[in-house]
Amino acid sequence: MRLFASDNVTGACPAVVEAVLSANAGLAASYGEDYWSTALRAKFSEIFETEVEVFPVLSGTASNALALAALTPVYGKVYCHELSHINTDECGAPELLTGGAKLIPMRGANGRIVPDDLAQAIRGRGNVHVPQPAVVSITQACETGTVYRPSEILEIAAIARDHHLKVHMDGARFANALSTLGVTPAQMTWQAGVDVLSFGGTKNGCFVAEAVIFFKPEMAENFDFLRKRSGQLISKMRFVSSQLLAYISDDLWLQNAMVANKMAQKLSRGMAALPDIELAYPTESNEVFVRLPDYLIGGLRAKHRYINEDELDGKAVRFVASWVTTDEEVQSLLDDISQCILGAKA
Amino acid sequence: MRLFASDNVTGACPAVVEAVLSANAGLAASYGEDYWSTALRAKFSEIFETEVEVFPVLSGTASNALALAALTPVYGKVYCHELSHINTDECGAPELLTGGAKLIPMRGANGRIVPDDLAQAIRGRGNVHVPQPAVVSITQACETGTVYRPSEILEIAAIARDHHLKVHMDGARFANALSTLGVTPAQMTWQAGVDVLSFGGTKNGCFVAEAVIFFKPEMAENFDFLRKRSGQLISKMRFVSSQLLAYISDDLWLQNAMVANKMAQKLSRGMAALPDIELAYPTESNEVFVRLPDYLIGGLRAKHRYINEDELDGKAVRFVASWVTTDEEVQSLLDDISQCILGAKA
Amino acid sequence: MRLFASDNVTGACPAVVEAVLSANAGLAASYGEDYWSTALRAKFSEIFETEVEVFPVLSGTASNALALAALTPVYGKVYCHELSHINTDECGAPELLTGGAKLIPMRGANGRIVPDDLAQAIRGRGNVHVPQPAVVSITQACETGTVYRPSEILEIAAIARDHHLKVHMDGARFANALSTLGVTPAQMTWQAGVDVLSFGGTKNGCFVAEAVIFFKPEMAENFDFLRKRSGQLISKMRFVSSQLLAYISDDLWLQNAMVANKMAQKLSRGMAALPDIELAYPTESNEVFVRLPDYLIGGLRAKHRYINEDELDGKAVRFVASWVTTDEEVQSLLDDISQCILGAKA
Amino acid sequence: MRLFASDNVTGACPAVVEAVLSANAGLAASYGEDYWSTALRAKFSEIFETEVEVFPVLSGTASNALALAALTPVYGKVYCHELSHINTDECGAPELLTGGAKLIPMRGANGRIVPDDLAQAIRGRGNVHVPQPAVVSITQACETGTVYRPSEILEIAAIARDHHLKVHMDGARFANALSTLGVTPAQMTWQAGVDVLSFGGTKNGCFVAEAVIFFKPEMAENFDFLRKRSGQLISKMRFVSSQLLAYISDDLWLQNAMVANKMAQKLSRGMAALPDIELAYPTESNEVFVRLPDYLIGGLRAKHRYINEDELDGKAVRFVASWVTTDEEVQSLLDDISQCILGAKA
């Protein structure tokens, strides 16, 4: 039972399906010169309240690594949290696509970079022996399921600007963070100092659709070539653009995120109320991280519940809610856990 | 009017659409551990009459560049035709993903490598100053719309084997070549000495679906990591695998290719029968290359016919038929051309 | 006054000079097929009591990065100390020359990796999302001036072997470590489990001479090509080989190292005996790291003593003794410090 | 007998030896902040009659590949002759150090790019599928031993400028070309439109000394980092800088080149006057390329003359004169050839 294993076990939501079917009628220009790709840029510009450059790509890994490639020289340093996806889960894609830039893993509670730590860590400019400070990358919502407040982003971006660094945001769960914070997309990005956003659609209702969004068009100057040479420029671009277009229209993305977040809250509160379970991080988006005793892990597995093995060792067990998660499913999981606990106490 | 501009202006065919919709029901394991990805491997193994390893990817460029990355050391040489897609149309993706291997462009009539030329060109093994001969890559159907005969592939592969080179086939239009030759997939690939195939689905009826297929599993050993770090491992893999599964089932791919090839033949013969037009290459798949006088180019543009600018200079004008092309559309294009010619002669 | 600033402010020692002059008589085959290069391999094999492969290169950075490139796949992880030269002082050379491998910085007292920490850190084998554990790199003598005991190396190498990792040693100050420990070159390397050594000559009596030494020839199979494509294969190789040959003959390297270490000991003890100075690390080779109060830093600068700025911030001030350092020079530095202290107390 | 095998079988000339010995006295700042490195920049600026940026490196391969890395984006095209050293003899170093740029091999008589061919070849700007035109690289004296006239360089550079390309000159045998043409260094470089020069010293009297010279300082902005991360920034830089400083002082480089060229001329004329020998290219520097019948190759080998195997196949046999070559040695070689011919005719 893959339920709660991840938000990428879900399919695409009806409006996205409809959009792809609709884009499939007739012929269209290839490589992004189609109607949907053009409309997508306009729609994103409207949503972000500024002119943006938009480059659809096929995976979050590519989206992040290519964004970094646009922002750092080959001898650059990218400051990131040690738990960040770019640092731990992309099998070296950032190193490959940037041509060898160096990720600098930073500590910080709840998976978030601490501004003061960043200020301390940015060193070595002009020292030829040292990769040069170039980018800071933050994840929103971050890998622990918590979110940066806009004031935190502002603070981090101010430090970055003072040191001539660019600011990248990994927004694989951008909509979830937005829904939690109740701010505008602009407030959470360029108005807070973000230069480039890796915008995720796949986890929250698309088939496969991500995009790199530049808030400063001059930084996107060479991006077409970077995307092409990484194999992320697909010929039938309309089939990605149309997904994203539907996804960000009519508040679909926010509604999906709201469901996912709400179900995660329910799950989180339910678990926190039980004995023997400890929340590993505050639940601020659609991911719930808990520390479970071994008997509970065994018990849940006996009930065919999926336990994320990668997270077990030293970290925590992750349960992910998504736009398809229902009250009943959450309750059923909580019931299973309660039964395991009762059984153990008996 | 994008008709005939390319085969990537088309959408996905009904059975592929159906397959994606069907795969969209319910949850599925991510990163290729789903039903469709497993079934795809079995189906490809059946079609190729041998156990193959299959890695779906998102673009032909990625498919080619990653296949090469699996076959060459970073200091390797990849022999290819100077007109090959990997040499001319991938913006350096092979160089990037192989870590710096060197493409050696070769001449040869009709876009095809001449076995004797290859034998002559393979030099420098063990010479430390020289990138080391590693791979020969051929395109089937090739970039001029012609096809290698199995005997030619055999001969090229024999030379490769003699010199310890691997053999890669760019099969972006694999089905079209197969349809032309009337041989089996096995005969056109591993039985002729091909080690790895970049198998194309996008141009012939899929939304976006390519795959790297290894005929010798031991060569695929590290491919999972190469694919991941290039950003081509997508989480919801079922949506690519299901396309390919439908595409290679029930002879769909061959039927689509047969239509495209037949329409190209009709167009080619129709054009060849007209004055002032010269076929640039024999028409052996779904692409027709012709040399047109300027007045015809101007005339067709005046009729809003798409003329591929890139091909004009020194090469030829390309018209591409596809699985959606109809007799009427071919006739209409031929009529337009005839009118232009008549007008010019008047 | 650059004295004590580094061991690379020194020139070459007389026997090395003589060797180069002698190699300069007459013609010689290029690219390492000369007498000296051949003799060098034999001499290193004798010294290490096993057949080794030797590849002279021009810089420590190249020596390290190329050694790693021979040991890790492009998607590999290299475990190293966070203070290691490869992690902090090579401007991304390891990332470039390995094709994107990822350095995993580890903590550990006195700049040395703790075996247990390494065992904990090696994770993710077979997980496609994660760069694959490939190499552990240790520096001997390490960046803090301390040395690994052979038993520590054995322990680290055993963990590495258990996890199928290769073991690299950065031996920029190899002779200094050897001199401290009083063991044989074999005991400190391959007998303790080291696979590849970056052997340094420049800092301890050569003009410019480093070498990558393989204890398992099969690992060196492709190294000729890796070296060439990085620009480290020089035509007149004899002028590097002859330096190294003289350097490792007649115990020259050990004598030079002994002088340097002894002078460092004298300096270290002298400083430790003074008020207001704290040794940052035990002095176990030719580098002395101390924490100095600001007034002392200012005072020494006023006396035109070189203070290494890079080391000041959060770390310590470094003084380096070398084969040219004399008792008088050490005493003179100690006297200057004493004067500063007395002045401040007055 | 390596005589005539190459100019890199020679040692260093007395003034260069003297300079190194002199630089070896005492301590000096490392990493290029020494007296000799500073003086070198001033001397080169004087010689080139303009302010230049100078970066000593260790090999011609590194010098070329790093210069290209400074001039091309990672997705760039470098136009070069198909016989150029960067294309044939650097084992992929340009591809590695540029991060994947693509060399475009061009034909052209006598190893030289034909301006009209270049103008034709520069295509694809702005086309995302195509690596972007970025650099043209010429070799002076070129790989066939001929030289570009300043007017040819001007013409090539004008085409480059029209298309926004940078101009690189591989000057491994710069002095030889200069000596042949009797022009000034400025006339042969920046006044003719060259942006960056890979200046060679090793082949013409140095131990190991090359330099990348920028005529437009703004292009050198990031070069320090590129050089460091490739492992070409050595700590004891004075030992390279001092070689180059002596080499370009007191017309030493030109005198050495004059001897080499003169001996090559004598050899070339002598051979051309003999039956059965055909000059492959005009002799315009210190290299003589001839086509020899098999019996002559065999005969010379029987006399222990070195025949360059790499050049035999499809190309020509190469004899290289150098600053140490004497009249007697040339005559002796000619005599050997004559004897072989006479023997064969007998």
Side-chain angles (χ1 to χ4, degrees):
Chain A
M1 191 153 36
R2 285 278 165 175
L3 195 62
F4 297 110
S6 174
D7 32 13
N8 59 34
V9 300
T10 62
C13 63
V16 167
V17 173
E18 206 50 52
V20 169
L21 293 179
S22 161
N24 195 39
L27 307 181
S30 43
Y31 297 113
E33 299 185 3
D34 58 90
Y35 161 78
W36 297 267
S37 300
T38 305
L40 182 66
R41 187 180 175 286
K43 185 70 185 174
F44 264 127
S45 293
E46 178 195 321
I47 280 178
F48 281 106
E49 303 172 54
T50 188
E51 285 299 305
V52 296
E53 294 288 341
V54 178
F55 299 86
V57 294
L58 283 309
S59 71
T61 292
S63 182
N64 283 332
L66 282 173
L68 296 178
L71 298 181
T72 177
V74 292
Y75 49 80
K77 268 184 189 165
V78 177
Y79 296 90
C80 59
H81 196 277
E82 62 181 1
L83 296 179
S84 65
H85 198 266
I86 59 172
N87 191 46
T88 65
D89 278 293
E90 302 189 348
C91 200
E95 286 82 359
L96 170 64
L97 296 188
T98 61
K102 193 172 182 66
L103 271 58
I104 306 298
M106 303 185 61
R107 303 192 168 187
N110 297 329
R112 300 208 300 278
I113 293 174
V114 179
D116 278 358
D117 292 353
L118 177 64
Q120 287 294 320
I122 302 175
R123 294 172 53 192
R125 182 166 301 281
N127 177 348
V128 71
H129 304 287
V130 178
Q132 294 296 289
V135 183
V136 57
S137 176
I138 58 176
T139 311
Q140 180 78 325
C142 89
E143 288 78 4
T144 62
T146 71
V147 299
Y148 286 91
R149 271 63 192 166
S151 61
E152 289 177 279
I153 303 174
L154 269 166
E155 203 177 343
I156 286 171
I159 293 165
R161 202 167 39 248
D162 284 352
H163 292 81
H164 309 288
L165 270 66
K166 307 291 199 310
V167 181
H168 169 249
M169 178 179 278
D170 174 354
R173 294 188 179 89
F174 186 81
N176 302 93
L178 210 57
S179 179
T180 295
L181 290 171
V183 296
T184 68
Q187 287 169 333
M188 206 166 81
T189 55
W190 65 273
Q191 290 179 358
V194 173
D195 294 308
V196 179
L197 168 67
S198 294
F199 180 91
T202 307
K203 292 179 195 292
N204 190 37
C206 294
F207 288 109
V208 44
E210 308 283 320
V212 182
I213 297 177
F214 288 83
F215 299 108
K216 294 182 180 151
E218 68 274 16
M219 292 186 188
E221 219 167 51
N222 300 321
F223 197 77
D224 263 328
F225 301 107
L226 298 181
R227 180 174 60 166
K228 169 69 187 181
R229 78 195 282 262
S230 75
Q232 292 283 332
L233 176 67
I234 61 168
S235 55
K236 298 182 174 179
M237 188 64 84
R238 56 172 151 162
F239 295 122
V240 179
S241 296
S242 58
Q243 290 179 60
L244 289 168
L245 187 56
Y247 176 69
I248 60 171
S249 295
D250 304 324
D251 285 344
L252 176 59
W253 58 320
L254 298 176
Q255 289 165 18
N256 282 355
M258 198 170 58
V259 170
N261 286 6
K262 194 175 146 196
M263 292 301 108
Q265 276 303 328
K266 181 183 166 83
L267 181 60
S268 177
R269 286 178 191 152
M271 283 183 168
L274 293 172
D276 293 351
I277 299 187
E278 186 193 355
L279 277 184
Y281 309 108
T283 301
E284 299 180 354
S285 60
N286 64 319
E287 297 188 291
V288 181
F289 290 85
V290 286
R291 300 196 200 285
L292 302 182
D294 283 349
Y295 84 83
L296 256 184
I297 290 174
L300 287 171
R301 282 189 168 150
K303 291 175 183 294
H304 305 291
R305 292 285 178 183
Y306 183 89
I307 300 290
N308 197 326
E309 303 239 23
D310 292 346
E311 317 290 336
L312 283 179
D313 186 3
K315 292 202 277 181
V317 176
R318 182 181 76 153
F319 296 93
V320 190
S322 73
W323 63 277
V324 300
T325 308
T326 63
D327 269 306
E328 291 69 33
E329 287 165 349
V330 172
Q331 194 55 54
S332 164
L333 173 55
L334 290 171
D335 290 348
D336 277 4
I337 298 174
S338 296
Q339 281 181 17
C340 292
I341 295 172
L342 284 173
K345 308 293 180 204
Chain B
M1 192 153 36
R2 286 278 164 174
L3 195 62
F4 297 110
S6 174
D7 32 14
N8 60 32
V9 299
T10 62
C13 64
V16 167
V17 172
E18 205 51 51
V20 169
L21 293 180
S22 161
N24 195 38
L27 307 181
S30 45
Y31 297 113
E33 299 183 6
D34 58 273
Y35 161 78
W36 297 267
S37 299
T38 304
L40 182 66
R41 187 180 175 285
K43 185 70 184 173
F44 263 127
S45 294
E46 179 196 321
I47 280 179
F48 281 106
E49 303 171 54
T50 189
E51 286 298 307
V52 297
E53 294 288 342
V54 178
F55 299 85
V57 295
L58 283 309
S59 72
T61 291
S63 182
N64 283 331
L66 282 173
L68 296 177
L71 298 181
T72 178
V74 292
Y75 50 81
K77 269 184 188 165
V78 177
Y79 296 89
C80 60
H81 196 277
E82 62 181 1
L83 296 180
S84 65
H85 198 266
I86 58 172
N87 191 48
T88 66
D89 278 292
E90 302 188 348
C91 200
E95 286 82 0
L96 170 63
L97 296 188
T98 61
K102 193 172 182 66
L103 273 57
I104 306 298
M106 303 185 60
R107 303 194 168 185
N110 296 330
R112 299 208 300 278
I113 293 174
V114 179
D116 279 358
D117 292 355
L118 177 64
Q120 287 294 319
I122 301 175
R123 295 172 52 190
R125 182 166 300 281
N127 177 348
V128 72
H129 304 289
V130 178
Q132 293 297 289
V135 184
V136 57
S137 176
I138 58 177
T139 312
Q140 180 77 326
C142 89
E143 287 78 4
T144 63
T146 71
V147 300
Y148 286 90
R149 271 63 192 165
S151 63
E152 289 177 279
I153 302 174
L154 270 166
E155 204 177 342
I156 286 170
I159 293 165
R161 203 166 39 246
D162 286 352
H163 292 81
H164 309 288
L165 271 65
K166 307 291 199 313
V167 180
H168 169 249
M169 178 178 279
D170 174 355
R173 293 187 179 90
F174 187 80
N176 301 93
L178 210 58
S179 179
T180 295
L181 290 171
V183 297
T184 67
Q187 287 170 332
M188 206 166 81
T189 55
W190 64 274
Q191 290 180 356
V194 173
D195 295 308
V196 179
L197 169 67
S198 294
F199 179 90
T202 308
K203 293 179 194 292
N204 190 38
C206 294
F207 288 109
V208 44
E210 310 281 320
V212 182
I213 297 177
F214 288 81
F215 300 108
K216 294 181 180 151
E218 68 273 17
M219 292 185 188
E221 219 167 52
N222 300 322
F223 197 76
D224 262 329
F225 301 107
L226 298 181
R227 180 174 60 167
K228 170 67 188 184
R229 77 196 282 263
S230 75
Q232 292 284 330
L233 176 66
I234 62 168
S235 55
K236 299 183 174 179
M237 187 64 84
R238 57 172 150 161
F239 295 122
V240 178
S241 296
S242 58
Q243 291 179 60
L244 288 168
L245 187 56
Y247 176 68
I248 60 171
S249 294
D250 305 322
D251 285 344
L252 177 60
W253 58 320
L254 298 175
Q255 289 165 19
N256 282 355
M258 198 171 57
V259 170
N261 285 6
K262 194 175 146 197
M263 291 301 107
Q265 276 303 329
K266 181 183 165 84
L267 181 61
S268 178
R269 286 178 192 153
M271 282 183 168
L274 292 172
D276 293 353
I277 300 187
E278 186 192 357
L279 276 184
Y281 309 108
T283 302
E284 298 180 355
S285 60
N286 65 320
E287 297 189 292
V288 181
F289 289 86
V290 286
R291 299 196 200 286
L292 301 182
D294 283 350
Y295 82 85
L296 255 183
I297 289 174
L300 287 171
R301 283 187 167 152
K303 291 175 184 294
H304 304 292
R305 291 285 178 183
Y306 182 89
I307 300 291
N308 196 326
E309 304 238 24
D310 291 346
E311 316 291 334
L312 283 178
D313 186 2
K315 293 202 277 181
V317 176
R318 182 181 77 152
F319 295 93
V320 189
S322 73
W323 63 277
V324 301
T325 309
T326 63
D327 269 305
E328 291 70 32
E329 287 165 350
V330 172
Q331 194 53 56
S332 165
L333 173 55
L334 290 172
D335 290 349
D336 276 6
I337 298 174
S338 297
Q339 281 181 17
C340 291
I341 294 173
L342 284 173
K345 306 296 181 202
Chain C
M1 190 154 38
R2 285 278 165 174
L3 195 61
F4 297 110
S6 175
D7 31 15
N8 59 32
V9 301
T10 62
C13 64
V16 167
V17 172
E18 205 50 54
V20 169
L21 294 180
S22 162
N24 194 39
L27 306 182
S30 44
Y31 298 112
E33 300 184 6
D34 58 273
Y35 161 79
W36 298 266
S37 299
T38 303
L40 181 65
R41 186 181 175 285
K43 186 69 184 173
F44 264 127
S45 294
E46 178 195 324
I47 281 180
F48 281 105
E49 303 171 57
T50 189
E51 285 299 306
V52 297
E53 294 288 342
V54 178
F55 299 85
V57 295
L58 284 309
S59 71
T61 291
S63 183
N64 283 331
L66 282 173
L68 296 178
L71 297 181
T72 178
V74 291
Y75 49 81
K77 270 184 189 164
V78 177
Y79 297 90
C80 60
H81 196 278
E82 62 181 2
L83 296 180
S84 65
H85 198 267
I86 58 172
N87 191 47
T88 65
D89 277 294
E90 301 188 350
C91 199
E95 286 82 359
L96 170 64
L97 296 187
T98 62
K102 193 170 182 68
L103 272 58
I104 306 297
M106 302 184 60
R107 304 192 166 187
N110 296 331
R112 300 208 300 279
I113 293 174
V114 179
D116 279 357
D117 292 353
L118 177 64
Q120 286 294 320
I122 301 175
R123 292 172 54 189
R125 182 166 301 282
N127 177 349
V128 71
H129 304 288
V130 178
Q132 293 296 289
V135 184
V136 57
S137 176
I138 57 176
T139 311
Q140 180 78 325
C142 89
E143 288 78 4
T144 62
T146 72
V147 299
Y148 286 90
R149 270 64 192 166
S151 61
E152 289 177 279
I153 302 175
L154 269 166
E155 202 177 345
I156 285 171
I159 293 166
R161 202 167 40 246
D162 285 351
H163 292 81
H164 310 287
L165 270 66
K166 309 290 199 311
V167 181
H168 169 249
M169 178 179 277
D170 173 355
R173 292 188 179 89
F174 187 82
N176 301 93
L178 210 57
S179 179
T180 295
L181 290 171
V183 296
T184 67
Q187 288 169 331
M188 205 165 80
T189 56
W190 65 274
Q191 290 179 357
V194 173
D195 296 307
V196 179
L197 168 68
S198 293
F199 180 91
T202 308
K203 292 179 195 292
N204 190 38
C206 294
F207 288 110
V208 45
E210 308 283 319
V212 182
I213 297 177
F214 288 82
F215 299 107
K216 296 182 178 149
E218 69 273 17
M219 291 185 189
E221 218 167 52
N222 300 321
F223 196 76
D224 262 329
F225 301 107
L226 298 181
R227 180 174 59 166
K228 170 67 187 184
R229 77 194 283 262
S230 75
Q232 293 284 331
L233 176 66
I234 62 168
S235 55
K236 299 183 175 180
M237 187 65 82
R238 58 173 149 160
F239 294 123
V240 178
S241 297
S242 58
Q243 290 179 61
L244 288 168
L245 188 56
Y247 176 68
I248 60 172
S249 295
D250 304 323
D251 287 343
L252 176 59
W253 57 320
L254 298 175
Q255 289 166 18
N256 282 355
M258 199 170 56
V259 170
N261 286 5
K262 194 175 146 197
M263 291 301 108
Q265 276 303 331
K266 182 183 165 84
L267 181 60
S268 177
R269 285 177 193 153
M271 283 183 168
L274 292 172
D276 293 352
I277 298 187
E278 185 192 359
L279 275 184
Y281 309 108
T283 301
E284 300 181 353
S285 61
N286 65 320
E287 297 188 290
V288 182
F289 290 84
V290 285
R291 300 195 200 286
L292 301 182
D294 283 350
Y295 83 82
L296 256 183
I297 290 173
L300 287 171
R301 284 190 168 149
K303 290 176 182 294
H304 304 293
R305 292 285 178 184
Y306 182 90
I307 300 291
N308 197 326
E309 304 240 21
D310 292 345
E311 316 291 335
L312 283 178
D313 186 3
K315 293 201 279 181
V317 176
R318 183 181 76 153
F319 296 93
V320 190
S322 74
W323 64 276
V324 302
T325 308
T326 63
D327 269 306
E328 291 69 32
E329 288 164 350
V330 171
Q331 194 53 56
S332 163
L333 173 57
L334 290 171
D335 290 348
D336 277 3
I337 297 173
S338 297
Q339 282 181 17
C340 291
I341 294 172
L342 285 172
K345 307 293 180 204
Chain D
M1 190 154 38
R2 286 279 164 173
L3 195 61
F4 297 110
S6 175
D7 31 13
N8 59 32
V9 300
T10 62
C13 64
V16 167
V17 173
E18 206 50 55
V20 169
L21 293 180
S22 162
N24 195 38
L27 307 181
S30 45
Y31 298 112
E33 299 184 6
D34 58 90
Y35 161 79
W36 298 267
S37 299
T38 304
L40 182 65
R41 187 180 175 285
K43 186 70 184 172
F44 264 127
S45 294
E46 176 195 323
I47 280 179
F48 281 106
E49 305 172 53
T50 188
E51 285 299 307
V52 296
E53 294 288 342
V54 178
F55 298 85
V57 294
L58 283 310
S59 72
T61 291
S63 182
N64 283 331
L66 282 174
L68 296 178
L71 297 180
T72 178
V74 291
Y75 50 81
K77 270 183 187 164
V78 177
Y79 296 90
C80 60
H81 196 277
E82 61 181 2
L83 296 179
S84 64
H85 198 267
I86 58 171
N87 191 47
T88 66
D89 278 293
E90 301 187 350
C91 200
E95 287 82 0
L96 171 64
L97 296 188
T98 62
K102 194 172 181 65
L103 272 58
I104 306 297
M106 302 186 60
R107 303 192 167 187
N110 296 331
R112 299 208 301 278
I113 293 174
V114 179
D116 279 357
D117 292 354
L118 177 65
Q120 285 294 320
I122 301 175
R123 292 172 54 191
R125 182 167 300 282
N127 178 349
V128 72
H129 304 287
V130 179
Q132 294 296 289
V135 184
V136 57
S137 175
I138 58 178
T139 311
Q140 180 78 325
C142 88
E143 288 78 4
T144 63
T146 71
V147 299
Y148 287 90
R149 272 63 193 165
S151 61
E152 289 177 278
I153 302 174
L154 269 166
E155 203 177 343
I156 286 171
I159 293 165
R161 201 166 41 246
D162 285 352
H163 292 81
H164 309 289
L165 271 66
K166 309 290 200 308
V167 180
H168 169 248
M169 178 178 277
D170 174 354
R173 293 186 179 91
F174 187 81
N176 301 92
L178 210 58
S179 179
T180 296
L181 290 171
V183 296
T184 67
Q187 286 170 332
M188 206 166 79
T189 55
W190 65 274
Q191 290 179 357
V194 173
D195 295 308
V196 179
L197 168 68
S198 293
F199 180 90
T202 308
K203 292 178 195 292
N204 190 39
C206 294
F207 288 109
V208 44
E210 309 282 320
V212 183
I213 297 176
F214 288 81
F215 299 108
K216 295 182 179 151
E218 68 274 17
M219 291 186 189
E221 218 167 53
N222 299 321
F223 196 76
D224 262 328
F225 301 106
L226 298 181
R227 180 174 60 165
K228 169 68 188 183
R229 77 194 283 263
S230 76
Q232 291 285 331
L233 176 67
I234 62 169
S235 55
K236 299 183 174 178
M237 187 65 83
R238 58 172 150 161
F239 294 122
V240 179
S241 297
S242 59
Q243 290 179 62
L244 288 168
L245 187 57
Y247 177 68
I248 60 171
S249 294
D250 304 323
D251 286 344
L252 176 61
W253 58 320
L254 298 175
Q255 289 164 20
N256 281 355
M258 198 169 56
V259 171
N261 286 5
K262 193 175 148 197
M263 291 301 109
Q265 275 302 329
K266 180 183 167 82
L267 181 61
S268 177
R269 285 178 193 152
M271 283 183 168
L274 292 172
D276 294 350
I277 299 187
E278 185 193 357
L279 276 184
Y281 309 108
T283 302
E284 299 180 355
S285 60
N286 65 320
E287 296 189 291
V288 181
F289 290 84
V290 286
R291 300 196 199 287
L292 300 182
D294 282 350
Y295 83 83
L296 255 183
I297 290 174
L300 287 170
R301 283 188 168 151
K303 290 175 184 296
H304 304 293
R305 292 287 179 181
Y306 182 89
I307 300 291
N308 197 326
E309 303 240 21
D310 293 345
E311 317 291 335
L312 282 178
D313 186 2
K315 293 201 276 180
V317 176
R318 183 181 76 153
F319 295 94
V320 190
S322 73
W323 65 276
V324 301
T325 309
T326 63
D327 268 305
E328 291 69 32
E329 287 165 349
V330 172
Q331 194 55 54
S332 163
L333 173 57
L334 290 171
D335 289 348
D336 276 4
I337 297 174
S338 298
Q339 280 180 18
C340 291
I341 294 173
L342 284 172
K345 307 295 181 202

